[in-house]
Amino acid sequence: MCGIVAYVGPKDAGPILLEGLQRLEYRGYDSAGVVISNKGLKMRKVKGRVADLAAAVPARFKGTLGIGHTRWATHGAPSDVNAHPHLSADERIAVVHNGIIENADELRAKLEADGVVFLSETDTEVLSHLIARTVEETESLEEAVRLALKRIVGTYGIAVIDAQRPGEVVVARNGSPIVLGIGEKEMFAASDVSALVRYTRQVVHLEDGELAVLKADGFHTFASDARETAKEPLTVDWDAGHYDTGGYEHYLLKEISEQPDTVARTLRGRLDDRFHIAHLGGLNMDARETRSFRRVKIIGCGSAYYSGQIGAQLIEELARIPADAEPASEFRYRSPVVEPDTLYVAISQSGETYDTLAAVQELKRKGGRVLGIVNTVGSAIARECDGGLYLHAGPEVSVASTKAFTSTAVAFALLALHLGRVRDLSPADGRRICEGLRRLPEQIKEILALEPQIKELAHKYADSPSMMFVGRVRGYPVAREGAQKLKEISYVHAEAYPASELKHGPLALIGPEMPTVAIVPDDELLDKNLTTLGEIRARGGRVLMVGHRTADPKLADDCVVVPKNETELDPILLSIPLQLLAYHAAVALERDVDKPRNLAKSVTVE
Ligand code: AGP
């Protein structure tokens, strides 16, 4: 979604802001802009890419303070005028904003009645005029910003500069992330650490309601009542190299290929071969508390939710605790019953997905115990949870989630092992799962070696108008994630169904023009799955089977055979060929693989 970058220090701000905006491109945007302070505010903004903005910024735009933005249109179409920053009428104040101001229409009408002329259709412009109106009477830009924010209903991450105070930037957060970057006699701020890591790895995350004043020599943070807050900087272990394509054609292929390493990182230091348990110190729960839960409820959005379905299955199988997953975006709106003996688990790669964050906050308000399975260290969801596990998968840049999905499923296997071993999972089964987990990185390498075959299959099936994905029990979330990957990056319509449900309706869709990707592991449901394949073939449907053995050509046109692990862990491996299938279908169809249309990497709005 929208991105923010801010700089104050001794260097030329322009190149730093442009480089930061380029790092944020992966989040999805339609226009970009910068403003630099140097004897007045110098602004350029364009509809289009950051490269177009860089070409439009004149060399004479020099200055050591500035803010920049990539916009994802909400109020008003993508255009040069609607792009951020937005200036006050006297061009003294400049604002960039992520989020949505819900009472913008009402505020705009009041300001217009007072004679303010608006240039854009955005909700953000309201803020620049509101700040400009009080900045004359207040002692500081910080106070003017705080007063303006008091009138706002909605979510925001903002950065503000004042032409008459050329040494400071004010940033604030409510529901939309802002991270400060601490440099040597320079300060940065951004909506995402990816924009900062080239310059510093010392960061501070703002909490909702907090505001910060940045000057070259440091920063101060304040709560909404103007009380100064104390913040401990965090060191991020991601560096700029993580944000390069590393020689791959797309970030997506790089991230799929990294999975042997990223899975190894998720497992590192967490498996105990003596007692066949998982060490998960970050859960902050002793054995007695861990035993006290009678249910597990998992929440997340999109692919995170599908990995949660794999997680629920693992917890039921290994720990024998009833578990289910639900989209966080639904959970938060249905006034959920929060029970003291339920363990809640929130999943998020970014740690900033607004729906998931809001669901966690609702749970906390009602006294729920919430663990987070999160990739981004120090992110809002991680901070909000009572404990949890970090994935350590490194930054995921491509909009479509792959390595975070896989590492989340692995993290659930660790959690299920942990919950199981404090209950009834035997040492022998614990050992079996530990050994299975250790085999995963090598087995993922074997699957990645199938890429030429999968590429050929992707070319064969990519021109289908629609595809069906089916799986039973453990295979069903794999099918759902496979369909999600295909539709989001190739725009080919795909539906996922439990294989058992086909004959209750969707079988009517099956015919030569609608191929089926069938997830067929070698488990107790193998025969049932093979029967389903027969039913599809009998209706003239083509079948691409993903499983542990090749099928009779009467049942499947094509087979992708993946290595077998322990039955409970097989879904983790079965998902990987589907990532490659979607990737190569998207490339064959010449899609914008890393930045699919209409999507953003982290959805920080409702
Ligand atoms: C994944 O391919 C999607 N782009 C999307 O469904 C994503 O998983 C979802 O928005 C949740 O994001 P999060 O993990 O950062 O919370």
Side-chain angles (χ1 to χ4, degrees):
M1 301 242 114
C2 305
I4 289 178
V5 195
Y7 176 76
V8 53
K11 299 187 192 128
D12 190 9
I16 294 172
L17 297 178
L18 289 167
E19 138 87 25
L21 293 181
Q22 200 202 329
R23 298 274 171 197
L24 295 176
E25 281 192 298
Y26 76 97
R27 298 172 65 96
Y29 71 106
D30 48 54
S31 49
V34 287
V35 64
I36 288 163
S37 175
N38 185 1
K39 300 192 188 96
L41 299 182
K42 299 179 170 53
M43 182 169 76
R44 277 291 181 281
K45 42 192 202 168
V46 299
K47 177 183 167 192
R49 317 306 290 173
V50 174
D52 304 323
L53 174 67
V57 173
R60 65 187 153 76
F61 268 36
K62 298 255 181 261
T64 57
L65 171 85
I67 56 180
H69 192 259
T70 47
R71 174 176 186 250
W72 166 277
T74 54
H75 288 61
S79 69
D80 291 359
V81 174
N82 287 336
H84 300 205
H86 290 284
L87 300 184
S88 55
D90 58 1
E91 301 195 355
R92 175 175 170 179
I93 299 294
V95 179
V96 292
H97 164 228
N98 292 353
I100 292 176
I101 300 174
E102 288 163 18
N103 60 340
D105 291 348
E106 181 195 322
L107 291 168
R108 186 183 184 107
K110 282 192 188 140
L111 287 162
E112 280 176 339
D114 284 353
V116 175
V117 177
F118 278 75
L119 298 181
S120 75
E121 302 159 88
T122 65
D123 52 343
T124 304
E125 196 182 339
V126 162
L127 259 180
S128 44
H129 296 305
L130 284 177
I131 297 167
R133 298 197 123 205
T134 50
V135 77
E136 293 281 351
E137 298 121 45
T138 51
E139 297 206 341
S140 63
L141 177 60
E142 169 215 333
E143 195 185 339
V145 171
R146 183 176 304 109
L147 288 175
L149 291 177
K150 282 210 167 112
R151 300 185 60 187
I152 296 292
V153 177
T155 55
Y156 54 79
I158 55 166
V160 185
I161 58 173
D162 175 355
Q164 293 188 17
R165 290 185 179 93
E168 69 182 47
V169 185
V170 171
V171 293
R173 160 185 181 135
N174 183 40
S176 195
I178 292 286
V179 194
L180 315 184
I182 307 165
E184 274 291 308
K185 302 249 178 317
E186 59 187 352
M187 283 295 301
F188 307 81
S191 50
D192 185 319
V193 283
S194 61
L196 306 177
V197 285
R198 177 141 182 240
Y199 304 101
T200 178
R201 286 161 71 176
Q202 290 290 104
V203 303
V204 166
H205 292 268
L206 287 195
E207 301 293 338
D208 278 348
E210 267 186 330
L211 177 152
V213 180
L214 317 185
K215 297 187 179 168
D217 59 1
F219 69 98
H220 291 274
T221 53
F222 303 90
S224 52
D225 60 3
R227 239 179 338 104
E228 188 155 357
T229 50
K231 309 287 285 187
E232 269 301 309
L234 265 177
T235 306
V236 289
D237 59 1
W238 299 352
D239 61 32
H242 282 109
Y243 293 93
D244 292 333
T245 51
Y248 288 90
E249 203 182 329
H250 297 102
Y251 282 105
L252 188 61
L253 186 58
K254 177 191 177 208
E255 287 162 6
I256 292 172
S257 307
E258 278 173 351
Q259 291 178 105
D261 286 341
T262 53
V263 164
R265 285 210 298 268
T266 305
L267 292 172
R268 189 163 301 151
R270 286 170 164 166
L271 290 176
D272 181 319
D273 288 325
R274 198 159 148 227
F275 300 109
H276 317 303
I277 56 174
H279 286 297
L280 303 175
L283 302 188
N284 302 327
M285 287 192 300
D286 62 21
R288 185 170 301 190
E289 200 179 353
T290 309
R291 279 188 67 93
S292 68
F293 295 108
R294 296 169 61 88
R295 268 174 66 82
V296 177
K297 178 86 189 174
I298 300 163
I299 52 168
C301 293
S303 293
Y305 158 55
Y306 300 138
S307 64
Q309 285 199 307
I310 295 180
Q313 183 83 39
L314 278 159
I315 289 169
E316 285 209 348
E317 286 199 271
L318 298 179
R320 301 306 294 152
I321 312 175
D324 75 315
E326 180 177 345
S329 49
E330 288 286 297
F331 178 84
R332 60 175 289 221
Y333 284 116
R334 64 170 180 79
S335 188
V337 178
V338 177
E339 296 160 313
D341 54 0
T342 298
L343 176 63
Y344 295 90
V345 185
I347 317 159
S348 180
Q349 187 287 127
S350 61
E352 302 288 351
T353 298
Y354 190 75
D355 282 325
T356 310
L357 179 61
V360 172
Q361 288 166 339
E362 179 66 10
L363 281 166
K364 298 298 301 284
R365 259 192 296 277
K366 291 178 167 167
R369 173 81 181 212
V370 195
L371 298 180
I373 295 186
V374 174
N375 195 31
T376 308
V377 175
S379 55
I381 294 170
R383 295 199 306 277
E384 199 73 46
C385 290
D386 298 298
L389 285 86
Y390 280 119
L391 299 179
H392 301 303
E396 195 177 65
V397 173
S398 194
V399 165
S401 184
T402 51
K403 63 177 180 172
F405 172 88
T406 305
S407 278
T408 303
V410 171
F412 269 115
L414 289 167
L415 181 62
L417 173 66
H418 177 70
L419 294 174
R421 291 287 289 122
V422 296
R423 285 182 161 75
D424 298 329
L425 189 72
S426 67
D429 275 331
R431 178 190 197 134
R432 185 173 64 75
I433 296 300
C434 285
E435 288 174 358
L437 285 168
R438 286 198 197 284
R439 288 199 297 277
L440 287 174
E442 279 309 310
Q443 291 181 313
I444 295 173
K445 279 188 197 158
E446 289 174 42
I447 298 173
L448 295 176
L450 302 175
E451 191 183 347
Q453 183 210 353
I454 298 171
K455 180 175 175 181
E456 222 173 90
L457 291 170
H459 282 251
K460 176 172 171 185
Y461 288 99
D463 60 359
S464 312
S466 190
M467 285 183 81
M468 183 70 81
F469 284 69
V470 297
R472 257 189 179 79
V473 186
R474 296 179 203 93
Y476 178 48
V478 176
R480 293 189 86 183
E481 173 60 8
Q484 157 101 337
K485 279 294 80 78
L486 185 72
K487 61 188 150 198
E488 74 179 321
I489 58 170
S490 74
Y491 319 150
V492 171
H493 172 247
E495 285 211 46
Y497 261 90
S500 55
E501 280 286 303
L502 264 195
K503 55 182 171 297
H504 297 292
L507 201 55
L509 291 170
I510 297 295
E513 67 297 335
M514 187 165 195
T516 298
V517 177
I519 314 306
V520 185
D522 251 8
D523 61 11
E524 71 282 9
L525 300 167
L526 177 65
D527 289 344
K528 295 212 176 307
N529 279 322
L530 294 177
T531 306
T532 304
L533 300 194
E535 287 166 6
I536 295 169
R537 291 299 300 263
R539 272 93 190 159
R542 291 184 291 158
V543 172
L544 163 54
M545 178 177 129
V546 179
H548 296 122
R549 55 170 88 179
T550 51
D552 184 328
K554 285 198 224 95
L555 296 180
D557 300 76
D558 297 288
C559 297
V560 175
V561 179
V562 305
K564 176 96 184 74
N565 197 301
E566 300 305 318
T567 302
E568 299 90 332
L569 302 178
D570 278 332
I572 300 169
L573 294 172
L574 289 162
S575 302
I576 290 169
L578 305 186
Q579 298 171 347
L580 286 168
L581 185 73
Y583 171 74
H584 283 292
V587 172
L589 295 167
E590 296 180 0
R591 306 302 190 214
D592 191 349
V593 174
D594 287 325
K595 295 187 215 97
R597 68 184 180 199
N598 307 338
L599 297 180
K601 181 61 185 164
S602 62
V603 184
T604 52
V605 292
E606 275 188 82

